[in-house]
Amino acid sequence: MRSDQMKKGLERAPHRSLFKALAYTDEELNRPIIGIANSVSEVIPGHNHLRDLADAVKAGIRMSGGTPMEFNTIGICDGIAMGHKGMKYSLPSRELIADSIESMGIAYPIDGMVCICDCDKIVPGMMMAMLRLNIPALLVSGGPMLTGCDRKKPIDLITVFEGVGAHALGKITDDELKRLEDEACPGSGSCSGMFTANSMNCLSEALGLALPGNGTIPAVMAKRMRLAKVSGMKIMELVSKDVKPRDIVTAKAFENAITVEMALGSSTNTVLHLPAIANEAGIKLDLKLFNEISERTPNLCRISPAGEQHMQDLDEAGGIPAVMAELNKKDLIHTGLKTVSGLTVKENIHDVENLDPKVIKPVNTPYSKDGGLSILFGNLAPDGAVVKKAAVAESMLTHTGSARVFESEEDAMKAIMSGKIKKGDVVVIRYEGPKGGPGMREMLGPTAAIAGEGLDKDVALITDGRFSGGTRGAAIGHVSPEAQEGGLMAVVKDSDKIKIDIPNKSLELLVSEDEIKKRFENWHQPNYKIKKGYLYRYAKQVTSASTGAVFKDD
């Protein structure tokens, strides 16, 4: 056993003595040691219940003859970090989480690992660590929050963000906004729409790193606790058979994940995280692959913010196995791949039914014949930009408008909230990329304010930063190269015409080459906004959004 390095032989008597100070018995130390990386926290609603989930995982491990040893990671709630300096730390925290699990997994040579998480950057950070360590491992999420309700109307966190914009225009009262605030988030779990956390938890199933149901079973259900117990039992099978993450997560597994992503119309952040996870497996995901898969993959789901349905609706319809089963009717899924369940994809989805065609459209009658995300290219984004096509009004799929340029999210938010953005405008927010931000903040505030003011069918927003999975409208993010690195974003001016053509996957600044050349002659790369601490080190090491915003190899 790998753990023998720290517990076996006469020379390890001091090590065993320290373990015995933790009340481990000789019998427990003779068993396989399973590390549990838990991001339990009292500051994230998606994580405050993970202690109970960890206890269930431990029960499954013990039932199957293993010894669980739990440790913790940090976690940042994007919703709470949104709109202030804290959001600069959200994406960078992904690397800290991966690094900390790597550190623990090598300092303590465990035999297997279960990663317990639920939200935003924590989920991909843990999957990155699983592939980096490449010891038997699986992922258990805390599950989605139940849908909120306001006078029998389903609501969620995004409703509150958009309520702020509506309130600014006098469309709703103080009391109405307070009621949304009180009712939108009814309890533990990741926010209830197809936002980043739930998108990544769903894709953990599609990659084969989590058991069926991991992405959709609500946090509060006993079914979620049973899944955790079974996960504890399954990790012991993986250890016994020495099945490692890289045995499961192959290039074809990533194709499955992207296919499911397109069928779901998931968060644009998945286009940031999947390449980063693939990088740990030694696999390069070209952004053009996302478009290739999108062109052949029908969009089957319109979960909030793209529609009125929520994660519990998707779960009741059959969850990710039902989505994959629909896709498999057109041979769009690689079914022979291994998964942590011990079964192949084919076996996992065998006899699975689509229990609600209103939630999961039949593959022959989809919302659209192509996927829910698109990667745009053009002179403004030669290395790519990302848009959640499924959440864009049809009238905005093609749009040419005048640029309104802002140097930060805060400046743009002030203009939006004061009514200075008009129909037809293209809001440009730059110097918010991985280096320029630094940290590539999510900008749900501006997009939600635009939607709340009723302008989401008339105004586009383009940024080298990124958006929440809860964003809807013509919101185009991850523009690469970013302004800080001398991307064309850096020299866009007010009133420049920008042409957006989502069906043809194009993003163009309609300015002559001569004029662009003159502007760059007068442009000088600005200093980093932050010059000390972790964010300064991050800004110097991080790569482009087009490569997953991972650290440079050197």
Side-chain angles (χ1 to χ4, degrees):
M1 289 188 292
R2 186 171 179 267
S3 60
D4 286 348
Q5 298 173 56
M6 63 178 176
K7 67 181 186 182
K8 191 172 183 179
L10 293 176
E11 69 277 13
R12 296 294 180 256
H15 304 62
R16 292 192 296 273
S17 182
L18 289 168
F19 278 124
K20 287 176 180 179
L22 295 167
Y24 290 108
T25 65
D26 286 328
E27 182 179 351
E28 287 175 300
L29 293 177
N30 285 331
R31 295 176 178 180
I33 303 298
I34 308 300
I36 297 179
N38 191 357
S39 54
V40 62
S41 168
E42 293 184 356
V43 296
I44 309 177
H47 293 234
N48 68 327
H49 64 302
L50 297 187
R51 174 69 61 205
D52 291 340
L53 210 66
D55 288 342
V57 171
K58 291 175 187 176
I61 292 169
R62 292 189 180 107
M63 281 192 288
S64 299
T67 297
M69 293 186 179
E70 183 181 352
F71 60 91
N72 300 103
T73 73
I74 64 166
I76 291 173
C77 174
D78 282 22
I80 296 172
M82 197 85 63
H84 58 88
K85 186 178 178 180
M87 180 47 80
K88 292 178 181 289
Y89 285 84
S90 176
L91 181 59
S93 75
R94 185 188 71 182
E95 315 308 309
L96 286 175
I97 290 163
D99 289 351
S100 66
I101 295 173
E102 173 198 351
S103 300
M104 292 297 289
I106 294 176
Y108 294 79
I110 50 183
D111 299 300
M113 182 170 64
V114 177
C115 290
I116 303 177
C117 52
D118 211 15
C119 291
D120 297 298
K121 312 310 155 298
I122 301 104
V123 180
M126 287 193 169
M127 286 196 278
M128 289 166 66
M130 291 164 67
L131 285 159
R132 189 183 301 175
L133 285 170
N134 202 35
I135 60 175
L138 57 75
L139 185 132
V140 178
S141 84
M145 189 182 288
L146 294 177
T147 311
C149 184
D150 177 40
R151 299 184 178 181
K152 298 187 178 181
K153 180 183 177 182
I155 61 172
D156 53 43
L157 180 66
I158 308 310
T159 315
V160 190
F161 271 99
E162 293 184 359
V164 173
H167 182 271
L169 285 186
K171 291 184 176 182
I172 63 174
T173 65
D174 290 355
D175 288 343
E176 287 171 320
L177 182 58
K178 177 65 161 57
R179 194 173 69 238
L180 293 178
E181 172 188 328
D182 290 343
E183 303 298 335
C185 299
S188 296
S190 47
C191 297
S192 59
M194 191 57 74
F195 315 142
T196 304
N198 291 324
S199 295
M200 292 307 304
N201 282 325
C202 288
L203 296 190
S204 70
E205 286 189 49
L207 283 169
L209 288 176
L211 296 181
N214 183 70
T216 60
I217 298 171
V220 298
M221 294 182 70
K223 190 177 176 182
R224 170 66 56 181
M225 300 299 286
R226 296 198 301 271
L227 182 76
K229 286 184 182 178
V230 174
S231 295
M233 299 165 71
K234 287 295 181 183
I235 188 61
M236 296 305 297
E237 288 184 21
L238 295 173
V239 169
S240 175
K241 296 176 181 177
D242 196 30
V243 178
K244 300 170 183 174
R246 291 187 203 172
D247 299 326
I248 293 168
V249 183
T250 61
K252 287 185 177 180
F254 278 103
E255 289 183 15
N256 277 355
I258 297 170
T259 300
V260 170
E261 172 185 51
M262 295 303 170
L264 293 175
S266 59
S267 167
T268 53
N269 282 313
T270 58
V271 182
L272 196 64
H273 299 316
L274 285 177
I277 296 165
N279 181 65
E280 299 293 348
I283 297 168
K284 183 178 180 181
L285 285 189
D286 192 309
L287 291 188
K288 292 178 181 177
L289 178 63
F290 288 80
N291 279 343
E292 290 171 13
I293 292 175
S294 179
E295 286 171 5
R296 64 175 183 253
T297 306
N299 179 219
L300 306 181
C301 300
R302 291 284 169 94
I303 309 300
S304 177
E308 295 296 320
Q309 294 143 350
H310 289 79
M311 294 303 296
Q312 69 194 76
D313 301 308
L314 180 58
D315 186 62
E316 291 166 5
I320 301 308
V323 173
M324 295 181 78
E326 282 290 346
L327 293 167
N328 193 44
K329 291 176 183 178
K330 288 202 169 182
D331 296 322
L332 296 171
I333 295 292
H334 300 294
T335 58
L337 307 183
K338 294 179 181 179
T339 73
V340 292
S341 69
L343 305 175
T344 63
V345 172
K346 182 178 181 178
E347 292 168 324
N348 279 340
I349 65 176
H350 180 65
D351 288 339
V352 171
E353 292 183 57
N354 179 356
L355 301 175
D356 192 343
K358 292 180 181 178
V359 177
I360 305 172
K361 287 279 191 180
V363 73
N364 290 321
T365 56
Y367 283 105
S368 65
K369 293 182 180 180
D370 56 359
L373 298 182
S374 291
I375 313 299
L376 310 185
F377 295 93
N379 69 349
L380 199 52
D383 295 338
V386 187
V387 64
K388 190 169 186 171
K389 175 180 169 253
V392 179
E394 188 173 351
S395 61
M396 289 298 291
L397 291 174
T398 57
H399 177 76
T400 300
S402 298
R404 295 292 309 282
V405 182
F406 302 94
E407 308 299 319
S408 70
E409 176 188 3
E410 288 83 357
D411 290 346
M413 193 66 178
K414 288 176 185 175
I416 296 166
M417 294 296 285
S418 60
K420 294 179 180 178
I421 302 303
K422 306 301 180 184
K423 290 184 178 182
D425 285 347
V426 177
V427 176
V428 175
I429 306 177
R430 62 190 177 197
Y431 296 107
E432 288 287 5
K435 288 181 177 292
M440 203 181 184
R441 288 189 288 182
E442 274 189 358
M443 286 180 272
L444 178 57
T447 58
I450 287 170
E453 292 181 7
L455 293 172
D456 55 299
K457 295 180 181 178
D458 301 287
V459 170
L461 196 155
I462 298 174
T463 182
D464 51 9
R466 60 193 178 91
F467 298 112
S468 163
T471 287
R472 63 184 173 96
I476 300 166
H478 306 197
V479 172
S480 301
E482 62 175 290
Q484 183 74 26
E485 291 194 300
L488 188 54
M489 286 276 286
V491 295
V492 177
K493 292 184 177 181
D494 278 339
S495 300
D496 283 351
K497 295 297 182 183
I498 294 176
K499 182 179 180 181
I500 300 163
D501 188 345
I502 295 173
N504 289 305
K505 301 177 176 61
S506 174
L507 182 63
E508 294 282 341
L509 177 66
L510 302 182
V511 173
S512 72
E513 288 294 326
D514 286 345
E515 174 61 20
I516 288 171
K517 184 177 179 181
K518 288 178 185 177
R519 291 183 188 182
F520 270 117
E521 287 173 356
N522 295 315
W523 178 81
H524 300 285
Q525 186 178 45
N527 292 325
Y528 292 124
K529 292 177 183 175
I530 293 177
K531 299 179 182 179
K532 62 181 180 179
Y534 176 55
L535 282 185
Y536 180 50
R537 298 196 303 274
Y538 178 86
K540 291 195 293 182
Q541 295 180 59
V542 72
T543 62
S544 168
S546 64
T547 56
V550 297
F551 283 164
K552 297 174 184 175
D553 289 337
D554 57 357

